[in-house]
């Protein structure tokens, strides 16, 4: 709930630290450890990205730094988007430090900003969400996923499409 109302909470704290593992799990209603629905878990979901961006913006409006921990902070492919959003600190797993550090040194803020502004949410859906839903559908047909999980996956997909439509 803090991510959805970051500006309100930012007035009362000294910093924000976005925990992407929990943020993704709760936002997407997907347990990344559940093999039946884990393919739907992605920090690149448009809804998750919106929450991250609004949390960073809310923190900065209040003059507080915003950091990130979790798998996304250690993902070199996410680093340019996070830098462009204005993330102040990365809490990175030790094995990922050289990769994230090299990537951050190799890209200018302006280039990262262009990437953020030109990232098409529909591409994220096409490349991430649709294949994940296809896998859940195949698992359902094979009896590995049951109707409640299929309904949950469809709800996550609908929420993502609504975020994109409203963009």
């Amino acid at each position: 709930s803090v991510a959805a109302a970051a500006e309100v909470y930012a007035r009362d704290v000294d910093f924000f630290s976005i925990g992407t593992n929990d943020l993704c799990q709760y936002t997407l209603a997907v347990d990344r450890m559940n093999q039946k629905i884990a393919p739907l878990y992605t920090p690149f979901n448009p809804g998750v990205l919106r929450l991250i961006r609004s949390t960073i913006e809310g923190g900065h409006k209040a003059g507080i730094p915003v950091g990130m921990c979790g798998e996304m902070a250690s993902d070199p492919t996410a680093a340019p988007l996070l830098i462009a959003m204005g993330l102040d600190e990365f809490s990175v797993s030790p094995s990922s430090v050289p990769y994230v550090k090299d990537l951050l040194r190799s890209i200018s803020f302006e280039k990262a900003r262009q990437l953020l502004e030109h990232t098409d949410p529909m591409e994220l859906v096409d490349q991430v969400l649709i294949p994940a839903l296809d896998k859940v559908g195949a698992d359902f047909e094979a009896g590995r996923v049951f109707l409640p999980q299929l309904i949950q996956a469809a709800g996550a997909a609908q929420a993502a499409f609504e975020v994109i439509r409203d963009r």
Side-chain angles (χ1 to χ4, degrees), residues 63-90:
I64 62 170
V66 182
M68 178 179 285
C69 60
E71 290 180 14
M72 189 177 193
S74 295
D75 183 349
T77 61
L81 290 175
L82 297 172
I83 286 294
M85 289 181 192
L87 187 69
D88 299 306
E89 298 175 11
F90 291 73

Side-chain angles (χ1 to χ4, degrees), residues 37-60:
I37 57 173
L40 296 172
Y41 177 96
T42 174
F44 294 100
N45 175 284
V48 173
L49 291 175
R50 271 194 174 179
L51 284 173
I52 291 169
R53 190 173 193 175
S54 68
T55 301
I56 294 169
E57 289 172 354
H60 288 170

Side-chain angles (χ1 to χ4, degrees), residues 54-117:
S54 68
T55 301
I56 294 169
E57 289 172 354
H60 288 170
K61 282 182 184 176
I64 62 170
V66 182
M68 178 179 285
C69 60
E71 290 180 14
M72 189 177 193
S74 295
D75 183 349
T77 61
L81 290 175
L82 297 172
I83 286 294
M85 289 181 192
L87 187 69
D88 299 306
E89 298 175 11
F90 291 73
S91 177
V92 177
S93 64
S95 62
S96 298
V97 169
Y99 305 107
V100 173
K101 190 175 181 180
D102 285 347
L103 192 127
L104 291 176
R105 285 181 171 172
S106 71
I107 189 167
S108 69
F109 178 76
E110 185 56 40
K111 183 79 170 171
R113 200 78 167 141
Q114 288 172 0
L115 176 66
L116 177 65
E117 298 307 321

